[in-house]
Amino acid sequence: MEDIFHNGWNRINEEVSAFTAPVNIQETEKSYELHVIAAGLKKEDFKINIDKNILNISFEQKEENKEEGNAAKWLRSEYRMRSFKRSFTLNEKVDTANIAAKYTDGILQITLPKKEVSEPAAHEISVN
């Protein structure tokens, strides 16, 4: 029985361990909205920070080792670690001091409010 699970599974194991969170970005009149698809995670496990106008979003989940007095043994276990990191360069239009995030129904929504842009005042320049 064990031979069934060992033949050809290394390739599949490598593919399963790669976890990428897809992101949708939407622009509204007042903000940019990032929607990170991350179902089955906990909001406490996300790390979101800004470093030199780069928005970093990351998550890491490690396997919990549970030993029980059960005589059964696992033939294959792929519950190891999931993690991702996404980075986005922010332009000068984003008000970085007022960025907000919420996690609802498997979607991490990050709101990047736009700065109030004032038009430069018109004035004449005299020639000396």
Side-chain angles (χ1 to χ4, degrees), residues 26-83:
Q26 177 182 26
E27 182 177 7
T28 67
E29 186 177 316
K30 295 185 178 187
S31 66
Y32 299 98
E33 304 286 332
L34 274 70
H35 296 237
V36 182
I37 310 302
L41 307 180
K42 297 178 191 171
K43 67 180 183 177
E44 297 83 17
D45 295 330
F46 289 103
K47 283 185 168 182
I48 304 170
N49 63 40
I50 297 175
D51 185 22
K52 299 178 184 173
N53 282 342
I54 296 178
L55 174 69
N56 296 300
I57 306 164
S58 62
F59 169 83
E60 184 173 327
Q61 179 183 47
K62 295 182 180 177
E63 174 185 20
E64 293 181 22
N65 292 328
K66 292 184 179 180
E67 298 272 335
E68 296 181 20
N70 190 338
K73 71 174 188 174
W74 290 100
L75 297 177
R76 179 165 192 83
S77 177
E78 293 183 347
Y79 293 113
R80 301 240 190 292
M81 183 177 84
R82 295 192 312 171
S83 66

Short mmCIF file of all heavy atoms in Angstrom, two decimals, residues 26-83:
data_model
loop_
_atom_site.label_atom_id
_atom_site.label_comp_id
_atom_site.label_asym_id
_atom_site.label_seq_id
_atom_site.Cartn_x
_atom_site.Cartn_y
_atom_site.Cartn_z
N GLN A 26 -8.70 47.79 -7.18
CA GLN A 26 -9.77 48.61 -7.73
C GLN A 26 -9.51 50.06 -7.34
O GLN A 26 -9.09 50.35 -6.22
CB GLN A 26 -11.11 48.14 -7.15
CG GLN A 26 -12.30 48.93 -7.56
CD GLN A 26 -13.57 48.41 -6.90
OE1 GLN A 26 -13.52 47.80 -5.84
NE2 GLN A 26 -14.69 48.63 -7.54
N GLU A 27 -9.78 50.98 -8.27
CA GLU A 27 -9.66 52.40 -7.96
C GLU A 27 -11.05 53.00 -7.84
O GLU A 27 -11.90 52.79 -8.70
CB GLU A 27 -8.87 53.12 -9.05
CG GLU A 27 -8.68 54.60 -8.75
CD GLU A 27 -7.84 55.34 -9.78
OE1 GLU A 27 -7.51 54.74 -10.83
OE2 GLU A 27 -7.53 56.52 -9.54
N THR A 28 -11.27 53.72 -6.76
CA THR A 28 -12.51 54.46 -6.58
C THR A 28 -12.16 55.95 -6.61
O THR A 28 -10.99 56.31 -6.74
CB THR A 28 -13.21 54.11 -5.24
OG1 THR A 28 -12.41 54.59 -4.16
CG2 THR A 28 -13.43 52.62 -5.11
N GLU A 29 -13.15 56.78 -6.45
CA GLU A 29 -12.92 58.22 -6.47
C GLU A 29 -12.01 58.66 -5.33
O GLU A 29 -11.16 59.53 -5.49
CB GLU A 29 -14.25 58.96 -6.39
CG GLU A 29 -14.13 60.46 -6.56
CD GLU A 29 -15.48 61.14 -6.55
OE1 GLU A 29 -16.42 60.63 -7.19
OE2 GLU A 29 -15.59 62.18 -5.88
N LYS A 30 -12.16 58.00 -4.16
CA LYS A 30 -11.44 58.44 -2.97
C LYS A 30 -10.30 57.52 -2.53
O LYS A 30 -9.55 57.86 -1.62
CB LYS A 30 -12.41 58.61 -1.81
CG LYS A 30 -13.42 59.71 -2.04
CD LYS A 30 -14.29 59.91 -0.84
CE LYS A 30 -15.25 61.06 -1.10
NZ LYS A 30 -16.01 61.41 0.09
N SER A 31 -10.19 56.33 -3.13
CA SER A 31 -9.16 55.39 -2.65
C SER A 31 -8.83 54.33 -3.70
O SER A 31 -9.49 54.22 -4.73
CB SER A 31 -9.66 54.69 -1.38
OG SER A 31 -10.76 53.86 -1.68
N TYR A 32 -7.78 53.56 -3.37
CA TYR A 32 -7.46 52.34 -4.07
C TYR A 32 -7.83 51.21 -3.11
O TYR A 32 -7.60 51.31 -1.91
CB TYR A 32 -5.97 52.25 -4.41
CG TYR A 32 -5.48 53.36 -5.29
CD1 TYR A 32 -4.83 54.46 -4.75
CD2 TYR A 32 -5.66 53.31 -6.66
CE1 TYR A 32 -4.38 55.49 -5.55
CE2 TYR A 32 -5.21 54.34 -7.48
CZ TYR A 32 -4.57 55.42 -6.92
OH TYR A 32 -4.13 56.45 -7.72
N GLU A 33 -8.42 50.13 -3.63
CA GLU A 33 -8.84 49.01 -2.81
C GLU A 33 -8.09 47.75 -3.27
O GLU A 33 -8.16 47.40 -4.43
CB GLU A 33 -10.35 48.76 -2.94
CG GLU A 33 -11.21 49.96 -2.60
CD GLU A 33 -11.29 50.24 -1.12
OE1 GLU A 33 -11.14 49.28 -0.33
OE2 GLU A 33 -11.50 51.40 -0.75
N LEU A 34 -7.38 47.13 -2.34
CA LEU A 34 -6.71 45.86 -2.61
C LEU A 34 -7.55 44.76 -1.96
O LEU A 34 -7.88 44.86 -0.78
CB LEU A 34 -5.31 45.82 -2.02
CG LEU A 34 -4.17 46.39 -2.85
CD1 LEU A 34 -4.27 47.87 -2.97
CD2 LEU A 34 -2.86 45.96 -2.27
N HIS A 35 -7.89 43.74 -2.72
CA HIS A 35 -8.63 42.60 -2.21
C HIS A 35 -7.74 41.38 -2.36
O HIS A 35 -7.49 40.93 -3.48
CB HIS A 35 -9.93 42.41 -2.99
CG HIS A 35 -10.88 43.55 -2.85
ND1 HIS A 35 -12.15 43.39 -2.38
CD2 HIS A 35 -10.75 44.87 -3.08
CE1 HIS A 35 -12.76 44.56 -2.34
NE2 HIS A 35 -11.92 45.47 -2.77
N VAL A 36 -7.25 40.87 -1.24
CA VAL A 36 -6.37 39.71 -1.23
C VAL A 36 -7.22 38.49 -0.90
O VAL A 36 -7.85 38.43 0.16
CB VAL A 36 -5.25 39.88 -0.18
CG1 VAL A 36 -4.30 38.68 -0.21
CG2 VAL A 36 -4.48 41.18 -0.39
N ILE A 37 -7.25 37.52 -1.81
CA ILE A 37 -8.02 36.31 -1.60
C ILE A 37 -7.19 35.38 -0.71
O ILE A 37 -6.15 34.88 -1.11
CB ILE A 37 -8.35 35.60 -2.93
CG1 ILE A 37 -8.97 36.59 -3.93
CG2 ILE A 37 -9.25 34.40 -2.69
CD1 ILE A 37 -10.23 37.28 -3.46
N ALA A 38 -7.66 35.18 0.52
CA ALA A 38 -6.90 34.39 1.49
C ALA A 38 -7.87 33.64 2.40
O ALA A 38 -7.95 33.89 3.60
CB ALA A 38 -5.97 35.29 2.30
N ALA A 39 -8.61 32.72 1.82
CA ALA A 39 -9.63 31.98 2.57
C ALA A 39 -9.01 31.05 3.60
O ALA A 39 -7.93 30.51 3.40
CB ALA A 39 -10.49 31.18 1.60
N GLY A 40 -9.71 30.88 4.70
CA GLY A 40 -9.30 29.93 5.73
C GLY A 40 -8.20 30.42 6.65
O GLY A 40 -7.66 29.64 7.42
N LEU A 41 -7.86 31.69 6.60
CA LEU A 41 -6.80 32.22 7.44
C LEU A 41 -7.41 33.01 8.60
O LEU A 41 -8.61 33.24 8.66
CB LEU A 41 -5.88 33.12 6.62
CG LEU A 41 -5.30 32.49 5.34
CD1 LEU A 41 -4.41 33.47 4.62
CD2 LEU A 41 -4.53 31.22 5.67
N LYS A 42 -6.56 33.42 9.55
CA LYS A 42 -6.99 34.24 10.67
C LYS A 42 -6.45 35.65 10.50
O LYS A 42 -5.30 35.82 10.10
CB LYS A 42 -6.46 33.66 11.99
CG LYS A 42 -6.97 32.29 12.31
CD LYS A 42 -6.32 31.82 13.60
CE LYS A 42 -6.59 30.36 13.84
NZ LYS A 42 -5.80 29.84 14.94
N LYS A 43 -7.25 36.63 10.85
CA LYS A 43 -6.81 38.02 10.68
C LYS A 43 -5.57 38.33 11.52
O LYS A 43 -4.76 39.17 11.14
CB LYS A 43 -7.94 39.00 10.97
CG LYS A 43 -8.38 39.04 12.40
CD LYS A 43 -9.50 40.04 12.59
CE LYS A 43 -9.90 40.14 14.05
NZ LYS A 43 -10.92 41.14 14.25
N GLU A 44 -5.40 37.65 12.64
CA GLU A 44 -4.26 37.90 13.52
C GLU A 44 -2.93 37.48 12.88
O GLU A 44 -1.87 37.91 13.32
CB GLU A 44 -4.42 37.15 14.85
CG GLU A 44 -5.61 37.58 15.66
CD GLU A 44 -6.91 36.89 15.23
OE1 GLU A 44 -6.87 35.85 14.54
OE2 GLU A 44 -7.98 37.40 15.60
N ASP A 45 -2.97 36.61 11.90
CA ASP A 45 -1.74 36.09 11.30
C ASP A 45 -1.20 36.94 10.16
O ASP A 45 -0.10 36.68 9.67
CB ASP A 45 -1.97 34.66 10.81
CG ASP A 45 -2.24 33.70 11.96
OD1 ASP A 45 -1.72 33.95 13.07
OD2 ASP A 45 -2.97 32.73 11.76
N PHE A 46 -1.94 37.95 9.72
CA PHE A 46 -1.47 38.82 8.66
C PHE A 46 -0.51 39.85 9.22
O PHE A 46 -0.69 40.34 10.33
CB PHE A 46 -2.63 39.56 7.98
CG PHE A 46 -3.51 38.68 7.15
CD1 PHE A 46 -4.74 38.27 7.63
CD2 PHE A 46 -3.11 38.28 5.89
CE1 PHE A 46 -5.56 37.46 6.87
CE2 PHE A 46 -3.93 37.47 5.12
CZ PHE A 46 -5.15 37.06 5.62
N LYS A 47 0.50 40.19 8.45
CA LYS A 47 1.39 41.30 8.77
C LYS A 47 1.31 42.27 7.60
O LYS A 47 1.53 41.89 6.45
CB LYS A 47 2.83 40.83 8.93
CG LYS A 47 3.13 40.15 10.22
CD LYS A 47 4.61 39.86 10.29
CE LYS A 47 5.02 39.46 11.67
NZ LYS A 47 6.46 39.22 11.75
N ILE A 48 1.00 43.51 7.91
CA ILE A 48 0.91 44.55 6.88
C ILE A 48 1.74 45.72 7.37
O ILE A 48 1.53 46.21 8.49
CB ILE A 48 -0.55 44.99 6.66
CG1 ILE A 48 -1.43 43.79 6.31
CG2 ILE A 48 -0.63 46.05 5.57
CD1 ILE A 48 -2.91 44.07 6.31
N ASN A 49 2.69 46.15 6.55
CA ASN A 49 3.49 47.31 6.93
C ASN A 49 3.93 48.09 5.69
O ASN A 49 3.81 47.61 4.57
CB ASN A 49 4.69 46.91 7.78
CG ASN A 49 5.66 46.03 7.05
OD1 ASN A 49 5.94 46.21 5.88
ND2 ASN A 49 6.19 45.03 7.73
N ILE A 50 4.40 49.28 5.94
CA ILE A 50 4.92 50.14 4.87
C ILE A 50 6.36 50.46 5.21
O ILE A 50 6.66 50.86 6.34
CB ILE A 50 4.11 51.44 4.75
CG1 ILE A 50 2.68 51.11 4.36
CG2 ILE A 50 4.73 52.38 3.73
CD1 ILE A 50 1.77 52.30 4.32
N ASP A 51 7.22 50.29 4.23
CA ASP A 51 8.64 50.62 4.37
C ASP A 51 9.09 51.33 3.11
O ASP A 51 9.10 50.73 2.03
CB ASP A 51 9.45 49.34 4.61
CG ASP A 51 10.91 49.62 4.89
OD1 ASP A 51 11.24 50.74 5.32
OD2 ASP A 51 11.72 48.70 4.68
N LYS A 52 9.40 52.62 3.24
CA LYS A 52 9.86 53.42 2.10
C LYS A 52 8.90 53.35 0.92
O LYS A 52 9.28 53.03 -0.20
CB LYS A 52 11.26 52.99 1.68
CG LYS A 52 12.29 53.16 2.76
CD LYS A 52 13.65 52.67 2.33
CE LYS A 52 14.61 52.77 3.50
NZ LYS A 52 15.89 52.18 3.21
N ASN A 53 7.63 53.64 1.18
CA ASN A 53 6.56 53.64 0.17
C ASN A 53 6.31 52.28 -0.48
O ASN A 53 5.78 52.21 -1.57
CB ASN A 53 6.80 54.71 -0.90
CG ASN A 53 6.42 56.08 -0.40
OD1 ASN A 53 5.70 56.22 0.59
ND2 ASN A 53 6.90 57.10 -1.06
N ILE A 54 6.70 51.22 0.19
CA ILE A 54 6.38 49.88 -0.29
C ILE A 54 5.45 49.23 0.73
O ILE A 54 5.79 49.11 1.91
CB ILE A 54 7.63 49.01 -0.51
CG1 ILE A 54 8.49 49.64 -1.61
CG2 ILE A 54 7.25 47.58 -0.86
CD1 ILE A 54 9.78 48.92 -1.89
N LEU A 55 4.26 48.84 0.26
CA LEU A 55 3.29 48.16 1.10
C LEU A 55 3.59 46.67 1.06
O LEU A 55 3.63 46.07 0.00
CB LEU A 55 1.87 48.42 0.59
CG LEU A 55 0.74 47.66 1.28
CD1 LEU A 55 0.56 48.17 2.71
CD2 LEU A 55 -0.54 47.81 0.49
N ASN A 56 3.86 46.08 2.22
CA ASN A 56 4.16 44.65 2.33
C ASN A 56 3.00 43.96 3.04
O ASN A 56 2.58 44.38 4.12
CB ASN A 56 5.44 44.42 3.13
CG ASN A 56 6.65 44.99 2.43
OD1 ASN A 56 6.97 44.61 1.32
ND2 ASN A 56 7.31 45.94 3.08
N ILE A 57 2.51 42.88 2.43
CA ILE A 57 1.45 42.07 3.01
C ILE A 57 2.00 40.65 3.11
O ILE A 57 2.45 40.09 2.11
CB ILE A 57 0.20 42.06 2.11
CG1 ILE A 57 -0.25 43.49 1.81
CG2 ILE A 57 -0.92 41.26 2.76
CD1 ILE A 57 -1.21 43.58 0.65
N SER A 58 1.98 40.08 4.31
CA SER A 58 2.51 38.72 4.46
C SER A 58 1.67 37.91 5.43
O SER A 58 0.91 38.45 6.23
CB SER A 58 3.97 38.76 4.92
OG SER A 58 4.07 39.36 6.18
N PHE A 59 1.84 36.60 5.33
CA PHE A 59 1.14 35.65 6.18
C PHE A 59 2.01 34.41 6.31
O PHE A 59 2.66 34.00 5.36
CB PHE A 59 -0.21 35.26 5.55
CG PHE A 59 -0.86 34.10 6.24
CD1 PHE A 59 -1.62 34.29 7.38
CD2 PHE A 59 -0.71 32.82 5.76
CE1 PHE A 59 -2.21 33.22 8.02
CE2 PHE A 59 -1.30 31.74 6.39
CZ PHE A 59 -2.05 31.95 7.53
N GLU A 60 2.03 33.84 7.51
CA GLU A 60 2.76 32.59 7.69
C GLU A 60 1.98 31.72 8.66
O GLU A 60 1.59 32.15 9.73
CB GLU A 60 4.16 32.83 8.23
CG GLU A 60 4.96 31.55 8.34
CD GLU A 60 6.41 31.80 8.72
OE1 GLU A 60 6.97 32.83 8.32
OE2 GLU A 60 6.96 30.96 9.42
N GLN A 61 1.75 30.47 8.26
CA GLN A 61 1.04 29.50 9.09
C GLN A 61 1.89 28.25 9.16
O GLN A 61 2.21 27.66 8.14
CB GLN A 61 -0.32 29.19 8.48
CG GLN A 61 -1.13 28.19 9.24
CD GLN A 61 -2.44 27.88 8.54
OE1 GLN A 61 -2.45 27.65 7.34
NE2 GLN A 61 -3.51 27.91 9.28
N LYS A 62 2.26 27.85 10.36
CA LYS A 62 3.09 26.65 10.52
C LYS A 62 2.23 25.49 10.97
O LYS A 62 1.21 25.66 11.62
CB LYS A 62 4.19 26.92 11.54
CG LYS A 62 5.18 27.96 11.06
CD LYS A 62 6.27 28.17 12.05
CE LYS A 62 7.24 29.22 11.52
NZ LYS A 62 8.29 29.55 12.45
N GLU A 63 2.70 24.31 10.64
CA GLU A 63 2.00 23.08 11.01
C GLU A 63 2.02 22.89 12.52
O GLU A 63 3.02 23.13 13.18
CB GLU A 63 2.68 21.88 10.34
CG GLU A 63 2.13 20.55 10.77
CD GLU A 63 2.89 19.39 10.19
OE1 GLU A 63 4.04 19.56 9.77
OE2 GLU A 63 2.32 18.29 10.15
N GLU A 64 0.90 22.47 13.04
CA GLU A 64 0.83 22.12 14.45
C GLU A 64 1.04 20.62 14.57
O GLU A 64 0.35 19.83 13.93
CB GLU A 64 -0.54 22.48 15.02
CG GLU A 64 -0.81 23.96 15.08
CD GLU A 64 -2.16 24.26 15.67
OE1 GLU A 64 -2.70 23.41 16.41
OE2 GLU A 64 -2.67 25.34 15.40
N ASN A 65 2.01 20.21 15.35
CA ASN A 65 2.27 18.79 15.57
C ASN A 65 1.43 18.32 16.74
O ASN A 65 1.65 18.73 17.88
CB ASN A 65 3.76 18.54 15.86
CG ASN A 65 4.61 18.81 14.66
OD1 ASN A 65 4.18 18.62 13.54
ND2 ASN A 65 5.84 19.26 14.88
N LYS A 66 0.47 17.46 16.45
CA LYS A 66 -0.39 16.92 17.49
C LYS A 66 -0.12 15.43 17.61
O LYS A 66 -0.31 14.68 16.67
CB LYS A 66 -1.86 17.17 17.15
CG LYS A 66 -2.23 18.63 17.19
CD LYS A 66 -3.70 18.81 16.94
CE LYS A 66 -4.06 20.28 17.00
NZ LYS A 66 -5.48 20.51 16.74
N GLU A 67 0.35 15.02 18.75
CA GLU A 67 0.61 13.61 19.02
C GLU A 67 -0.53 13.10 19.89
O GLU A 67 -0.78 13.63 20.97
CB GLU A 67 1.94 13.45 19.75
CG GLU A 67 3.13 13.94 18.96
CD GLU A 67 3.70 12.88 18.05
OE1 GLU A 67 3.51 11.69 18.34
OE2 GLU A 67 4.34 13.24 17.06
N GLU A 68 -1.21 12.11 19.42
CA GLU A 68 -2.28 11.52 20.21
C GLU A 68 -2.00 10.03 20.36
O GLU A 68 -1.25 9.45 19.59
CB GLU A 68 -3.63 11.76 19.54
CG GLU A 68 -4.00 13.23 19.46
CD GLU A 68 -5.36 13.46 18.83
OE1 GLU A 68 -6.17 12.52 18.79
OE2 GLU A 68 -5.59 14.57 18.38
N GLY A 69 -2.63 9.40 21.31
CA GLY A 69 -2.44 7.98 21.55
C GLY A 69 -3.19 7.13 20.54
O GLY A 69 -3.86 6.19 20.91
N ASN A 70 -3.05 7.45 19.27
CA ASN A 70 -3.75 6.75 18.20
C ASN A 70 -2.79 5.78 17.53
O ASN A 70 -1.66 6.13 17.22
CB ASN A 70 -4.28 7.77 17.20
CG ASN A 70 -5.23 7.16 16.19
OD1 ASN A 70 -5.22 5.96 15.96
ND2 ASN A 70 -6.05 8.01 15.61
N ALA A 71 -3.24 4.57 17.27
CA ALA A 71 -2.38 3.55 16.65
C ALA A 71 -2.24 3.78 15.14
O ALA A 71 -1.38 3.20 14.51
CB ALA A 71 -2.94 2.16 16.92
N ALA A 72 -3.08 4.62 14.54
CA ALA A 72 -3.01 4.85 13.09
C ALA A 72 -1.81 5.72 12.77
O ALA A 72 -1.40 6.58 13.54
CB ALA A 72 -4.29 5.53 12.61
N LYS A 73 -1.23 5.50 11.60
CA LYS A 73 -0.10 6.35 11.18
C LYS A 73 -0.45 7.00 9.85
O LYS A 73 -1.19 6.45 9.03
CB LYS A 73 1.19 5.54 11.06
CG LYS A 73 1.23 4.58 9.90
CD LYS A 73 2.60 3.94 9.79
CE LYS A 73 2.68 3.13 8.52
NZ LYS A 73 3.99 2.60 8.28
N TRP A 74 0.06 8.19 9.65
CA TRP A 74 -0.16 8.92 8.41
C TRP A 74 0.76 8.35 7.34
O TRP A 74 1.95 8.16 7.57
CB TRP A 74 0.14 10.40 8.59
CG TRP A 74 -0.84 11.11 9.46
CD1 TRP A 74 -0.68 11.43 10.77
CD2 TRP A 74 -2.13 11.57 9.08
NE1 TRP A 74 -1.80 12.06 11.23
CE2 TRP A 74 -2.70 12.16 10.21
CE3 TRP A 74 -2.86 11.53 7.89
CZ2 TRP A 74 -3.97 12.73 10.19
CZ3 TRP A 74 -4.12 12.11 7.88
CH2 TRP A 74 -4.66 12.69 9.02
N LEU A 75 0.22 8.09 6.14
CA LEU A 75 1.04 7.67 5.01
C LEU A 75 1.56 8.88 4.26
O LEU A 75 2.60 8.82 3.62
CB LEU A 75 0.23 6.77 4.06
CG LEU A 75 -0.26 5.46 4.68
CD1 LEU A 75 -1.10 4.70 3.67
CD2 LEU A 75 0.92 4.63 5.15
N ARG A 76 0.81 9.97 4.32
CA ARG A 76 1.23 11.21 3.67
C ARG A 76 0.59 12.37 4.42
O ARG A 76 -0.58 12.34 4.74
CB ARG A 76 0.78 11.24 2.23
CG ARG A 76 1.17 12.52 1.53
CD ARG A 76 1.03 12.36 0.02
NE ARG A 76 1.64 13.44 -0.67
CZ ARG A 76 2.93 13.53 -0.96
NH1 ARG A 76 3.75 12.58 -0.62
NH2 ARG A 76 3.41 14.56 -1.61
N SER A 77 1.38 13.40 4.71
CA SER A 77 0.87 14.59 5.38
C SER A 77 1.40 15.81 4.65
O SER A 77 2.61 16.02 4.57
CB SER A 77 1.33 14.60 6.84
OG SER A 77 0.89 15.79 7.44
N GLU A 78 0.50 16.62 4.10
CA GLU A 78 0.90 17.83 3.38
C GLU A 78 0.54 19.09 4.16
O GLU A 78 0.70 20.18 3.65
CB GLU A 78 0.25 17.85 1.99
CG GLU A 78 0.79 16.76 1.11
CD GLU A 78 0.22 16.79 -0.30
OE1 GLU A 78 -0.78 17.49 -0.54
OE2 GLU A 78 0.79 16.10 -1.15
N TYR A 79 0.07 18.96 5.38
CA TYR A 79 -0.21 20.12 6.22
C TYR A 79 1.09 20.56 6.86
O TYR A 79 1.45 20.14 7.93
CB TYR A 79 -1.21 19.76 7.32
CG TYR A 79 -2.58 19.43 6.81
CD1 TYR A 79 -3.07 18.15 6.92
CD2 TYR A 79 -3.38 20.40 6.24
CE1 TYR A 79 -4.34 17.84 6.48
CE2 TYR A 79 -4.64 20.10 5.78
CZ TYR A 79 -5.12 18.82 5.91
OH TYR A 79 -6.36 18.52 5.46
N ARG A 80 1.82 21.39 6.19
CA ARG A 80 3.11 21.82 6.69
C ARG A 80 3.09 23.30 7.03
O ARG A 80 2.79 23.69 8.11
CB ARG A 80 4.20 21.54 5.66
CG ARG A 80 4.31 20.08 5.27
CD ARG A 80 5.68 19.54 5.59
NE ARG A 80 5.94 18.24 5.05
CZ ARG A 80 5.37 17.11 5.42
NH1 ARG A 80 4.42 17.13 6.30
NH2 ARG A 80 5.69 15.96 4.89
N MET A 81 3.37 24.12 6.06
CA MET A 81 3.44 25.54 6.29
C MET A 81 2.91 26.25 5.06
O MET A 81 3.19 25.86 3.93
CB MET A 81 4.87 25.99 6.55
CG MET A 81 4.98 27.45 6.86
SD MET A 81 6.65 27.96 7.25
CE MET A 81 7.31 28.19 5.62
N ARG A 82 2.13 27.27 5.29
CA ARG A 82 1.68 28.12 4.20
C ARG A 82 2.16 29.52 4.51
O ARG A 82 2.08 29.97 5.65
CB ARG A 82 0.16 28.14 4.09
CG ARG A 82 -0.44 26.82 3.71
CD ARG A 82 -1.88 26.92 3.34
NE ARG A 82 -2.70 27.68 4.28
CZ ARG A 82 -3.95 28.01 4.04
NH1 ARG A 82 -4.53 27.67 2.91
NH2 ARG A 82 -4.66 28.68 4.92
N SER A 83 2.65 30.18 3.51
CA SER A 83 3.06 31.56 3.70
C SER A 83 3.01 32.27 2.36
O SER A 83 3.05 31.64 1.30
CB SER A 83 4.47 31.64 4.29
OG SER A 83 5.41 31.14 3.37
#
